[in-house]
Amino acid sequence: MLRDTHIKINIDHLENNITSIRDYCKGTRVGAVLKSNAYGHGSKYMAKALYDMGITTFLVATLLEAMELKNENDDYNVIIMGHTPDKYLNQVIDKKITQTVFTYDQAKLLNDLAEQPVKVHVKIETGFNRLGMQITEDTASTIKKIADLDKIIIEGAFTHLSLENRASDLKQFNKFMDLMNEVEKMGVKIPIKHVCDSISMVLHPDFHLDMVRVGALLYGLESEEKGVLDIKPILSFHTKPSHIKTIKKGETISYGNRWIAGEDSIIATLPFGYSDGYPRNMYGKGQVQIKGKFYPIIGVICMDQCMAHVDKDVTLDDEVDIINENMTVSDIAAMAETNKNEVVSRFTPRVPRVYIKNKQIIYVENGLIK
Ligand SMILES: *Cc1c(COP(=O)(O)O)cnc(C)c1O
C-alpha cells in the first residue's frame, strides 16, 4: 500500500452477504454484477474472492470490463449485459465472452464470425425502454431464428424491471414470461431466464427464475432487505492527515477563501479529494471521524486534498475515517444528493483497495501499477 488514503474491503462481510443471498434464493444461480470496477470495490480481486466462494457467473456492462476479467481467469463465465458494437465482436468470440443481443442481425453476425459455438443472452424489452428486443407478434419467431443459427447457443434471456411498484414489475414480468412460453412452444429451450436485480430479488422472490443478477446487495449497499436478509456493508474509506497546523482568527481556507476562522483553529490537511471519488458537493456538509469523534470538512474540497477543522486530540498518526459504520455510503449519498451506487462507482483507481479477511490484509490492489 503506497498511500495512506485507501479503501478497505471486508471479505468476511462479503461471505456473509453471499451466504444470506444464497439462503434467500434457495438454489437459484447467483450472478455477480461486477460492472464499473465492481461498483468501485475492485473487480479483479472481487471476482477472485467470489469465485473462491463458488460464484462463477459475472456480469459486466462493457467489452473492456469483460476482457479484464477473462484475462484474469479464463474459467470465469462473463456476460456483457450492454451492447458491443459490431466491429468489436471478434474480441467477444476470441475471449469466449457471452454477449447480450437484442437484434437478429447482430446474432447473425456473431454466428458468421465464429468458428466455434458462441453463447448469447437475448435481452427483451418489457417497459424499461433502455435496451432490448421490442415485443411484437414476430419476436418469438425472431428468437427461434437466432436459435437456429448453427453456431449460436441461446444460453439465456432476460429483461430489466423499472421498479416503480409491484404492479408495474408484475406487468413486465408477465410480458417476459408470455414471450418465453411462446418461444418454448416453438421448441426453443432457454436454460437461464433472469429478471431480478438486487431490489427485485428481495421484493419479488417469485421472479427469481434461473438466475438473479446481484450488484448492490452483494456489496452491502441495499436497504430494501432490512429485516429480510442479513447484509453488511463491505467497504470503508480511510486516510491519515498530511499536515496539522493552527491558523489565526480571520485566516481562510481553500479556494475563494470561503471558510473564515472565527477563532484560532487547528486544521488538518487530508490527502483525498474529488478526484479520488469523494463528491465535491460535500462542501459544507462532509465530516470525517478520528478516534470516534466527528470533525467537519471545511472550505472547498480540492482535487486531491481537503481540510478538516480538528482539535488538539488529533495527531499525524491518527487514522481518519471517511466512510465507516457511522458515516456510511448511504449517508454520503444522501448528503451528496445521489444514490449509493454512484458514490461507490466513482472511487477512482488511484485509491488502493485493501482486502481484509480475519482482520488480516490478504491482498492490495494498487490500481495504477502492475
Ligand atoms: C447494474 C445492473 C444490475 C444490478 O443492479 P443492482 O441493483 O446493483 O443489483 C442488474 N441488471 C442489469 C441489467 C444491470 O444493468
Side-chain angles (χ1 to χ4, degrees):
M1 196 167 90
L2 298 163
R3 207 184 155 195
D4 284 336
T5 300
H6 66 282
I7 284 169
K8 268 189 199 146
I9 306 292
N10 185 324
I11 297 295
D12 300 303
H13 285 185
L14 177 67
E15 274 176 12
N16 170 84
N17 296 349
I18 292 297
T19 304
S20 299
I21 292 166
R22 280 184 163 146
D23 286 352
Y24 190 72
C25 292
K26 301 187 183 74
T28 294
R29 177 195 300 251
V30 176
V33 180
L34 297 183
K35 64 190 178 192
S36 192
N37 198 24
Y39 295 43
H41 293 63
S43 53
K44 279 189 214 159
Y45 196 80
M46 288 298 289
K48 187 193 174 312
L50 289 163
Y51 194 72
D52 291 345
M53 295 172 204
I55 302 226
T56 55
T57 302
F58 301 129
L59 300 110
V60 295
T62 70
L63 173 61
L64 273 172
E65 291 173 328
M67 287 171 69
E68 181 189 27
L69 293 178
K70 276 299 212 179
N71 286 346
E72 285 298 301
N73 186 341
D74 196 40
D75 291 338
Y76 295 165
N77 178 22
V78 181
I79 304 171
I80 300 174
M81 297 185 288
H83 171 64
T84 300
D86 290 347
K87 59 181 181 284
Y88 304 128
L89 287 180
N90 53 340
Q91 292 293 330
V92 168
I93 293 164
D94 278 0
K95 299 275 185 222
K96 299 194 181 65
I97 293 165
T98 304
Q99 179 60 51
T100 290
V101 295
F102 52 94
T103 62
Y104 172 77
D105 288 350
Q106 196 168 45
K108 175 82 168 70
L109 186 58
L110 267 173
N111 184 73
D112 294 349
L113 289 169
E115 278 159 15
Q116 305 283 327
V118 43
K119 287 193 288 186
V120 300
H121 284 222
V122 182
K123 177 91 187 271
I124 309 299
E125 184 54 70
T126 56
F128 196 99
N129 279 317
R130 186 171 62 181
L131 208 63
M133 198 179 269
Q134 284 174 300
I135 300 180
T136 67
E137 57 202 24
D138 300 327
T139 309
S141 48
T142 303
I143 296 172
K144 163 106 173 82
K145 258 172 65 187
I146 294 176
D148 287 344
L149 291 165
D150 60 340
K151 290 186 209 85
I152 296 288
I153 299 166
I154 303 183
E155 180 191 60
F158 69 111
T159 193
H160 196 57
L161 302 176
S162 54
L163 307 172
E164 183 195 352
N165 53 41
R166 169 83 192 174
S168 73
D169 288 346
L170 186 60
K171 197 168 147 210
Q172 284 189 266
F173 181 78
N174 287 339
K175 265 191 180 174
F176 178 71
M177 291 313 288
D178 288 349
L179 178 68
M180 289 299 109
N181 291 334
E182 212 184 315
V183 169
E184 287 203 346
K185 277 201 203 106
M186 294 178 163
V188 178
K189 264 209 82 51
I190 301 182
I192 307 178
K193 293 184 274 295
H194 49 111
V195 168
C196 290
D197 62 1
S198 294
I199 291 177
S200 47
M201 184 208 103
V202 174
L203 296 181
H204 315 312
D206 48 332
F207 296 179
H208 287 177
L209 303 176
D210 308 300
M211 180 167 87
V212 289
R213 306 186 297 270
V214 193
L217 200 63
L218 180 87
Y219 307 106
L221 290 173
E222 272 312 325
S223 47
E224 298 292 339
E225 84 291 347
K226 292 235 164 67
V228 184
L229 279 91
D230 169 31
I231 292 292
K232 298 187 166 95
I234 72 171
L235 176 146
S236 58
F237 194 0
H238 313 271
T239 191
K240 276 188 176 174
S242 46
H243 189 45
I244 296 176
K245 63 172 171 289
T246 301
I247 64 169
K248 292 254 178 300
K249 179 177 175 183
E251 287 196 76
T252 57
I253 299 284
S254 194
Y255 293 111
N257 297 329
R258 291 205 212 162
W259 193 83
I260 305 166
E263 57 195 337
D264 292 0
S265 305
I266 304 176
I267 306 297
T269 303
L270 304 174
F272 72 94
Y274 60 81
S275 82
D276 295 302
Y278 190 80
R280 186 174 176 276
N281 70 355
M282 291 295 279
Y283 167 63
K285 304 181 239 183
Q287 297 189 320
V288 292
Q289 276 174 84
I290 305 169
K291 292 183 283 203
K293 194 164 160 188
F294 280 104
Y295 297 100
I297 295 173
I298 52 167
V300 172
I301 294 166
C302 308
M303 186 183 277
D304 317 301
Q305 306 180 70
C306 61
M307 274 63 81
H309 187 189
V310 298
D311 58 29
K312 59 179 175 13
D313 296 341
V314 175
T315 73
L316 287 173
D317 290 329
D318 289 331
E319 181 157 89
V320 177
D321 289 355
I322 305 160
I323 293 176
N324 66 11
E325 62 281 6
N326 304 313
M327 170 61 72
T328 63
V329 170
S330 183
D331 296 330
I332 305 258
M335 286 189 226
E337 293 172 50
T338 180
N339 70 1
K340 290 170 271 205
N341 289 354
E342 184 178 356
V343 171
V344 290
S345 66
R346 285 178 161 226
F347 293 137
T348 51
R350 79 173 194 184
V351 183
R353 269 57 165 185
V354 179
Y355 299 87
I356 313 273
K357 192 170 153 93
N358 287 326
K359 303 199 160 61
Q360 303 283 319
I361 294 180
I362 51 167
Y363 187 72
V364 178
E365 172 74 48
N366 281 307
L368 302 184
I369 51 173
K370 285 271 175 299

